[in-house]
Amino acid sequence: MARLRIDVWSDIACPWCYVGKRRLEAALGLFPHRAEVEVVWRAFELDPTAPPEKDLSLSYAARLAKKYGSSVREAEARIVQLTETARADGLDFRFDQIRPGNTFDAHRLLHLARERGIQDAVKERFLRAYMTEGEPIGRRDALVRLGTEVGLDPAEASDALERGLFSDQVRADEQEAHTLGVSGVPCFVLAQRYAVSGAQPAKHLLQALDQAWTALASSPLVFAEGAACGPEGCA
C-alpha cells in the first residue's frame, strides 16, 4: 500500500506555523487517503542565537516593531490581524503573554517524541503552550513538564536534554532545509518532491496532497508561496 510522507519544517516560536498545522489538519480531514499519510515535524530555528528566555521588559509589539523597523502602533495592527486570522482557524493567540526564547531544546524533544510515536501530540502541546498559554518555551523544566503531559517520560526527556541527545538530528533538519532552499516556515514537502511554502489555505494543501498522491515524480520541487515566518520576522 502506498504511503505519503509529509515533512513539515517549522518552529515553535512561529505563529504561522501553528496556523499552518491547523490548515494541514483540515486538508488531511478531507483527504481520502488520510490513513496512508505520515506527517513528520522537522526542525527550523527562526532565531538560533536567542537566549533561553528573552528580555520580557519589552512587549511583543515593541519587539516586533524593532525587528521590522516600524512603529509600535503598526506592529499592534499586525498582531490584531494575525490574531483574527488564527481565530478563524480555531486558535486563540495571546501575544500579550508570549515568552520568547531559544527553541533548540524543544526541537530536540520533538525528535525524541517521534521515536516514541507521539511527535504530533508534543508539537501541538509546545505550540499551544507558547502561542496561547505564555509558557517559557526555551526553559528545559517547562519543556519536560509540557512533554510529560502528552506522554513523554520525564526522566527520559530530562536525560536527553542534559546529555545533548538529538542535537545532530536537529542540525541535520536545518541543513536539509538549507539544501532544499527553505527560507521561511512553515514549509510542507510532500513525498520528497512537492513543496508548499507558508500557511496556505486548506484547499491549496489538499490540492498538493492530491498531486503528491498521483506520484508525479518527474516534476521538480516547486514552491507555492504563502504567509510564513523567516529569520527577519513574520509576514
Side-chain angles (χ1 to χ4, degrees), residues 25-139:
E25 290 165 350
L28 287 171
L30 299 172
F31 188 55
H33 308 288
R34 174 64 184 93
E36 286 73 58
V37 175
E38 176 190 13
V39 178
V40 179
W41 297 101
R42 309 290 292 275
F44 190 103
E45 294 175 90
L46 290 169
D47 186 2
T49 65
E53 190 166 9
K54 291 185 178 180
D55 180 9
L56 299 180
S57 63
L58 292 177
S59 68
Y60 189 88
R63 288 193 295 269
L64 193 65
K66 183 178 180 180
K67 175 176 285 189
Y68 282 107
S70 65
S71 69
V72 173
R73 179 172 295 182
E74 289 171 329
E76 289 173 342
R78 295 183 68 159
I79 289 171
V80 169
Q81 183 179 26
L82 182 49
T83 300
E84 292 174 351
T85 298
R87 186 175 296 117
D89 286 284
L91 298 172
D92 179 23
F93 283 0
R94 292 296 306 273
F95 288 96
D96 58 316
Q97 295 184 7
I98 281 179
R99 297 169 67 178
N102 192 287
T103 59
F104 184 72
D105 285 340
H107 288 300
R108 291 168 57 207
L109 286 189
L110 283 168
H111 272 279
L112 170 62
R114 186 185 176 207
E115 287 196 354
R116 299 295 171 262
I118 54 172
Q119 190 186 42
D120 189 80
V122 174
K123 180 74 169 184
E124 177 71 23
R125 188 67 191 97
F126 284 174
L127 285 167
R128 178 161 55 90
Y130 179 74
M131 292 304 310
T132 300
E133 300 172 355
E135 291 278 5
I137 205 64
R139 284 176 42 181

Side-chain angles (χ1 to χ4, degrees), residues 71-220:
S71 69
V72 173
R73 179 172 295 182
E74 289 171 329
E76 289 173 342
R78 295 183 68 159
I79 289 171
V80 169
Q81 183 179 26
L82 182 49
T83 300
E84 292 174 351
T85 298
R87 186 175 296 117
D89 286 284
L91 298 172
D92 179 23
F93 283 0
R94 292 296 306 273
F95 288 96
D96 58 316
Q97 295 184 7
I98 281 179
R99 297 169 67 178
N102 192 287
T103 59
F104 184 72
D105 285 340
H107 288 300
R108 291 168 57 207
L109 286 189
L110 283 168
H111 272 279
L112 170 62
R114 186 185 176 207
E115 287 196 354
R116 299 295 171 262
I118 54 172
Q119 190 186 42
D120 189 80
V122 174
K123 180 74 169 184
E124 177 71 23
R125 188 67 191 97
F126 284 174
L127 285 167
R128 178 161 55 90
Y130 179 74
M131 292 304 310
T132 300
E133 300 172 355
E135 291 278 5
I137 205 64
R139 284 176 42 181
R140 291 183 175 181
D141 59 334
L143 291 171
V144 171
R145 171 171 48 81
L146 293 166
T148 299
E149 290 177 10
V150 288
L152 283 180
D153 178 85
E156 184 179 36
S158 296
D159 182 63
L161 293 177
E162 289 299 320
R163 294 172 55 198
L165 302 182
F166 302 104
S167 296
D168 290 345
Q169 289 89 330
V170 172
R171 295 304 183 212
D173 281 352
E174 294 172 336
Q175 179 57 49
E176 186 172 352
H178 177 75
T179 300
L180 291 173
V182 177
S183 59
V185 288
C187 183
F188 309 85
V189 176
L190 296 81
Q192 298 181 315
R193 177 58 57 180
Y194 308 103
V196 178
S197 179
Q200 296 274 0
K203 65 179 182 180
H204 293 164
L205 288 168
L206 181 58
Q207 291 171 356
L209 285 166
D210 289 333
Q211 182 183 26
W213 188 257
T214 62
L216 299 178
S218 61
S219 299

Side-chain angles (χ1 to χ4, degrees), residues 5-36:
R5 171 166 163 161
I6 306 174
D7 291 277
V8 188
W9 274 266
S10 68
D11 198 3
I12 304 301
C14 169
W16 282 117
C17 292
Y18 205 1
V19 172
K21 185 175 188 293
R22 278 294 177 276
R23 292 178 177 178
L24 175 62
E25 290 165 350
L28 287 171
L30 299 172
F31 188 55
H33 308 288
R34 174 64 184 93
E36 286 73 58

